[in-house]
Amino acid sequence: MALSVNSLLRSGRNAVLVLRRRAFHRSAQAAVQVTVRDALNQALDEELERDERVFLLGEEVAQYDGAYKVSRGLWKKYGDKRVIDTPISEMGFTGIAVGAAMAGLRPICEFMTFNFSMQAIDQVINSAAKTCYMSAGLQAVPIVFRGPNGASAGVAAQHSQCFAAWYAHCPGLKVVSPWNSEDAKGLLKSAIRDDNPVVFLENELMYGVPFEMSDEAQSKDFTVPIGKAKVERQGSHVTLVSHSRYVSHCLDAANVLAKEGIECEVLNLRTIRPMDVESIEASVMKTNHLVTVEGGWPQFGVGAEICARIMEGPAFNYLDAPAIRVTGVDIPMPYAKILEDNSLPQIKDIIFSIKKTLNV
Amino acid sequence: MQNMLSLLYSALCRLTGRAAGAQTVSELLIGLSEYASLTLPAVPPDLAQTQRLTPKAPPVVGAKAGAAPLASASLAAPVARVTASRTYSDFTPQVTLDIKKCELHLLEEGPSAKAELTREQGLRYYRTMQTVRRMELKADQLYKQKIIRGFCHLYDGQEACAAGVEAAINPTDHLITAYRAHAYTYTRGVSVKQVLCELTGRRGGVSKGKGGSMHMYAPRFYGGNGIVGAQGQLFETFNMAALWKLPCIFICENNQYGMGTSAERASASTDYYKRGDYIPGIRVDGMDVLCVREAVKFAADLCRAGKGPIVLELQTYRYHGHSMSDPGVSYRSREEIQEVRSKNDPIALLKEQMLSNNMASAEELKEMDVAIRKEVEEAAQFATADSEPPLDDMCNHIFKNDPPLEVRGTNPWSVLKSVS
């Protein structure tokens, strides 16, 4: 009985169902509102409990409860051996984390923001990503690198970069970019359980945003598979492909356009690498139009990759117009609010691009 | 000058019916002092608001020829207040003070344990530190009003470090720092107005609003840098600086905490002045501007003599948290902060030294405080009212001395322009 309910849930994730799990009967309970931050905290808590090889290290993760409070309460619960404060030394502690993964532990290495990961990128790429290959499968590196990625609000050029394209460029890495609370929790659990290095790109502006979490998502064994995109909104006129915070923008744009009779299909990538090209192709073959939306810079970016893959595959013949990328402006992030606002995709930019693509 | 004083004195005596007995300049000054309140004139507004290249002292009157401002002060003040009058000749012009002896690493001799301080220097250091203090507190206020956004790392408590460093080096020397940079931006010559305008993200900012708190620059001041950490780089730098005998002073402003982690929890050795290993080092009381000045002067002389590099550890304290999003009390007690404020505040220390050595009057320092507050308030008002940078500046300055280039906007139909 439990088994068939679970398989039903796996295929029908959008619906809110009345769930029966094991022998417990629950009344039709409304899904709870959980912020992305709390969802991440739950995932960390559950995985630390489940597997004693899992541990978290990074700056201010323990006694400060996390610079963004994602690891709140975990040091108190699990202690010094499982939640470890490091000095401000990214290259050093990333190397230590990779070494720990090679030796059999399952570290979660937090970067206070991914901008600081640049200080440690050699360890991420050369020590973590390439080792399984270089050792012909002998040496695995089961590590998760996580932290906020991309622009925040007013943090200027050195603290606003999106690293999705940089990390997704590298074979040997998995790169994940959750949008809502279910994504955050399910994907983090999958990342921790994965035997490979996973770059987990969170978003600071999403931490405080609440989303409905179904009962199933609140289970301790709830995971979201890496490498599978999700259709957040069905549509027939244009496919919008996005990741992280800009999924919200796409859904908002879709709501506005629905009033004008334009129905957008919104695809939440969830994983950047390996990218779920099949889902994008299936959608494009239905709608014949494609607009990608991301916060990162345009050149050699996530949208560029999507366009290239579509051109190389069967969906190209179904396009009625060239695929379009909506991206951040190709400049370092300015500080002044008016400039910052105009450096990132706004809902009006998405709407404009969709209408141009549809020629309306 | 004596004629002018004499004229003035006789006129006032006639007005008040006194017998004019004073003859010499000193007697005239003492006599005139009974007619006017002799406080330091406020800093002329135009001096305060223009961009300075070197810190200029307010027109200070020394013991020698101090009559000109005196005359203007009394002429400018129609109401002659008879207050507790002190003439400038009363103030001590220069004093030699004992300062804390520094701990040394790989050095036979260190900075002098005695510092000479002239009245002019004292007033200049006081002015610098007080301006930084008020500027930082104003930034705190503006941040809480959400007029400043993003990151804001405040320097209050550490003023003696920036003031002492600048007092010991030349404007032609090169300086770089990390994100807690507002004070150095000021001491390196950027006006309070341009700093606050940058913090509020307006076009009058020193980086035209495009940089923000951590990215302010000036000639021979290389910022303002947001990315720190990866300490390994520091030791690589030590190695090359020592290998090539570079004239570098490495200054660690040890404010006891790295973000929310105390030094003891993050460092295997907290003797930072020794961490240069084969590089000599000095541990300095960073709350005493004279200590800092003497140590940096010693270090600068060493470097200029070709004997660099050298490491300085300035032991200091920050009253605010790491940044405005850190309350700063979860990893240290309010009592600790209060203790430093009441016993070891750098501005209070200098004030005490000046007053107890009769180098300035409490009134004149108070007037300076008032003038500085006014300057900072006016700068803040300007910074709040100034307009944001224009949109067509958004893409400029990607490159230097390059032909104009096209920049992709948020979508393929948005083609923007970048000029060098």
Side-chain angles (χ1 to χ4, degrees):
Chain A
M1 161 81 175
L3 212 61
S4 63
V5 168
N6 279 336
S7 52
L8 184 70
L9 289 173
R10 264 196 293 277
S11 55
R13 212 182 298 280
N14 278 335
V16 175
L17 300 171
V18 175
L19 303 175
R20 289 162 199 270
R21 195 178 308 114
R22 300 193 188 136
F24 296 106
H25 289 239
R26 285 199 193 151
S27 52
Q29 181 181 315
V32 296
Q33 293 271 318
V34 180
T35 61
V36 171
R37 176 187 288 114
D38 290 340
L40 291 167
N41 186 272
Q42 280 174 29
L44 291 170
D45 193 354
E46 289 168 11
E47 295 306 297
L48 281 164
E49 189 179 39
R50 177 179 177 270
D51 184 344
E52 61 180 10
R53 298 170 300 169
V54 174
F55 72 100
L56 173 67
L57 88 167
E59 295 157 12
E60 313 295 352
V61 296
Q63 294 187 24
Y64 196 81
D65 270 341
Y68 298 101
K69 306 298 177 212
V70 173
S71 55
R72 190 195 287 126
L74 296 179
W75 174 68
K76 215 172 192 175
K77 187 170 174 185
Y78 294 100
D80 283 335
K81 283 211 168 319
R82 309 291 300 287
V83 184
I84 302 172
D85 275 338
T86 64
I88 305 173
S89 317
E90 278 76 7
M91 181 67 110
F93 70 69
T94 307
I96 288 175
V98 172
M102 290 181 180
L105 295 178
R106 303 190 76 92
I108 304 163
C109 177
E110 175 176 304
F111 293 119
M112 196 177 283
T113 74
F114 264 93
N115 302 284
F116 309 128
S117 74
M118 270 205 286
Q119 296 276 311
I121 203 164
D122 179 76
Q123 295 287 4
V124 178
I125 306 300
N126 279 329
S127 300
K130 297 178 184 171
T131 295
C132 185
Y133 180 87
M134 294 189 293
S135 66
L138 199 70
Q139 178 66 70
V141 187
I143 187 169
V144 175
F145 302 103
R146 53 158 290 273
N149 175 59
S152 177
V155 294
Q158 291 180 345
H159 290 79
S160 304
Q161 193 168 331
C162 175
F163 288 86
W166 280 36
Y167 286 119
H169 189 58
C170 298
L173 279 183
K174 298 191 182 181
V175 180
V176 162
S177 184
W179 165 58
N180 65 7
S181 303
E182 270 196 26
D183 290 356
K185 184 174 176 196
L187 286 170
L188 185 54
K189 286 165 79 75
S190 293
I192 294 169
R193 296 182 192 190
D194 200 308
D195 292 330
N196 296 289
V198 180
V199 170
F200 192 86
L201 304 171
E202 300 162 10
N203 187 290
E204 196 218 319
L205 297 173
M206 297 302 289
Y207 281 152
V209 181
F211 290 93
E212 259 183 21
M213 285 247 288
S214 61
D215 274 4
E216 186 218 358
Q218 292 168 58
S219 140
K220 283 190 181 178
D221 283 311
F222 169 74
T223 57
V224 166
I226 293 178
K228 205 82 192 67
K230 183 184 175 200
V231 177
E232 299 288 350
R233 183 188 196 281
Q234 300 266 2
S236 51
H237 297 127
V238 60
T239 299
L240 302 179
V241 182
S242 186
H243 71 100
S244 188
R245 182 160 166 259
Y246 292 91
V247 176
S248 299
H249 284 52
C250 288
L251 289 170
D252 290 345
N255 285 337
V256 171
L257 287 170
K259 298 192 186 110
E260 296 177 43
I262 300 173
E263 293 300 329
C264 304
E265 179 143 297
V266 178
L267 209 72
N268 171 11
L269 275 177
R270 285 180 157 180
T271 303
I272 313 289
R273 179 176 188 126
M275 190 179 294
D276 182 3
V277 185
E278 289 80 33
S279 294
I280 306 175
E281 283 170 342
S283 179
V284 169
M285 277 151 56
K286 186 173 71 164
T287 66
N288 312 119
H289 297 86
L290 174 60
V291 175
T292 70
V293 183
E294 68 196 290
W297 292 317
Q299 298 197 34
F300 309 91
V302 175
E305 174 66 15
I306 293 172
C307 290
R309 298 278 276 268
I310 290 296
M311 286 226 285
E312 291 169 351
F316 171 72
N317 293 309
Y318 290 76
L319 280 174
D320 286 348
I324 294 302
R325 302 170 295 160
V326 176
T327 66
V329 176
D330 201 12
I331 53 173
M333 181 64 70
Y335 167 67
K337 185 166 198 316
I338 191 174
L339 299 184
E340 185 182 45
D341 288 346
N342 281 281
S343 301
L344 293 165
Q346 301 180 44
I347 293 166
K348 65 174 168 69
D349 297 316
I350 303 174
I351 292 173
F352 173 80
S353 301
I354 291 169
K355 287 186 167 176
K356 284 286 251 187
T357 308
L358 293 175
N359 207 16
V360 296
Chain B
M1 179 187 47
Q2 186 169 359
N3 286 335
M4 185 163 62
L5 282 178
S6 172
L7 269 167
L8 191 61
Y9 183 65
S10 343
L12 282 166
C13 286
R14 263 200 300 279
L15 282 170
T16 54
R18 266 183 63 165
Q23 296 296 328
T24 65
V25 171
S26 303
E27 287 168 24
L28 285 165
L29 285 173
I30 292 167
L32 281 164
S33 73
E34 291 169 24
Y35 289 90
S37 150
L38 296 178
T39 52
L40 198 70
V43 175
D46 54 293
L47 184 70
Q49 277 165 22
T50 51
Q51 176 169 352
R52 309 163 309 118
L53 281 177
T54 45
K56 283 206 172 72
V60 170
V61 178
K64 28 187 183 111
L70 168 63
S72 66
S74 39
L75 286 170
V79 177
R81 291 168 283 155
V82 181
T83 56
S85 58
R86 309 265 293 276
T87 62
Y88 295 116
S89 56
D90 276 356
F91 289 130
T92 317
Q94 184 165 319
V95 86
T96 303
L97 296 166
D98 289 327
I99 52 175
K100 204 191 261 184
K101 207 157 158 28
C102 297
E103 288 170 66
L104 303 174
H105 171 67
L106 295 187
L107 283 168
E108 292 295 315
E109 281 170 6
S112 166
K114 292 195 182 300
E116 299 206 339
L117 179 69
T118 68
R119 181 177 135 83
E120 185 258 343
Q121 286 170 337
L123 289 170
R124 177 158 32 105
Y125 305 158
Y126 183 86
R127 183 171 200 283
T128 299
M129 293 200 288
Q130 190 69 287
T131 304
V132 169
R133 173 68 57 93
R134 297 256 54 100
M135 180 176 73
E136 294 295 80
L137 293 180
K138 180 58 68 176
D140 167 281
Q141 189 187 7
L142 291 171
Y143 194 92
K144 287 171 177 155
Q145 294 172 302
K146 300 196 195 299
I147 298 171
I148 296 176
R149 45 199 283 276
F151 290 137
C152 192
H153 308 85
L154 297 178
Y155 200 77
D156 51 315
Q158 299 185 206
E159 294 86 356
C161 297
V165 166
E166 194 61 40
I169 62 176
N170 303 328
T172 47
D173 292 325
H174 306 257
L175 194 148
I176 188 170
T177 188
Y179 44 76
R180 204 173 300 281
H182 306 161
Y184 286 106
T185 311
Y186 173 73
T187 56
R188 289 264 91 192
V190 177
S191 68
V192 174
K193 191 198 280 188
Q194 280 193 298
V195 170
L196 289 180
C197 263
E198 187 58 38
L199 293 178
T200 57
R202 310 300 163 95
R203 65 179 74 195
V206 65
S207 299
K208 301 185 171 39
K210 294 161 80 161
S213 166
M214 300 173 290
H215 310 300
M216 296 195 252
Y217 303 84
R220 286 171 284 272
F221 172 58
Y222 306 94
N225 289 277
I227 309 291
V228 298
Q231 294 169 24
Q233 297 172 44
L234 181 61
F235 296 99
E236 291 181 1
T237 313
F238 282 165
N239 182 45
M240 286 185 276
L243 196 62
W244 299 330
K245 292 197 155 353
L246 301 178
C248 282
I249 307 173
F250 296 98
I251 298 181
C252 170
E253 292 177 310
N254 179 8
N255 58 19
Q256 322 298 326
Y257 298 92
M259 286 188 285
T261 304
S262 67
E264 300 73 42
R265 288 185 56 228
S267 297
S269 160
T270 52
D271 291 335
Y272 298 108
Y273 71 111
K274 292 184 185 169
R275 297 291 292 276
D277 190 9
Y278 37 77
I279 298 179
I282 308 175
R283 173 175 263 166
V284 182
D285 178 2
M287 302 307 257
D288 180 350
V289 66
L290 295 175
C291 256
V292 175
R293 185 192 72 185
E294 291 308 307
V296 176
K297 201 187 287 177
F298 177 88
D301 290 343
L302 203 86
C303 287
R304 293 190 218 284
K307 303 214 186 84
I310 183 168
V311 173
L312 296 185
E313 176 191 344
L314 310 182
Q315 294 192 305
T316 183
Y317 199 84
R318 54 165 163 82
Y319 295 144
H320 271 83
H322 162 72
S323 70
M324 285 303 295
S325 54
D326 170 29
V329 288
S330 63
Y331 48 88
R332 54 185 192 171
S333 67
R334 287 184 208 273
E335 288 76 42
E336 177 187 292
I337 305 171
Q338 200 37 48
E339 171 109 7
V340 178
R341 238 191 238 282
S342 54
K343 300 215 177 105
N344 227 5
D345 181 272
I347 299 175
L349 281 175
L350 178 65
K351 182 173 178 179
E352 162 64 24
Q353 282 170 323
M354 298 216 26
L355 292 180
S356 63
N357 284 288
N358 194 25
M359 298 187 83
S361 74
E363 291 84 36
E364 82 178 304
L365 292 181
K366 186 134 198 258
E367 278 213 0
M368 202 186 275
D369 291 347
V370 168
I372 291 169
R373 258 185 219 259
K374 185 160 173 283
E375 174 194 345
V376 169
E377 180 58 44
E378 281 169 6
Q381 279 173 13
F382 183 90
T384 306
D386 194 18
S387 38
E388 289 192 281
L391 277 179
D392 54 26
D393 194 36
M394 185 167 82
C395 297
N396 290 340
H397 313 116
I398 295 178
F399 290 121
K400 183 89 182 165
N401 295 334
D402 236 35
L405 74 131
E406 273 180 2
V407 172
R408 188 201 205 260
T410 58
N411 61 72
W413 297 277
S414 168
V415 180
L416 309 169
K417 188 139 170 257
S418 176
V419 177
S420 270

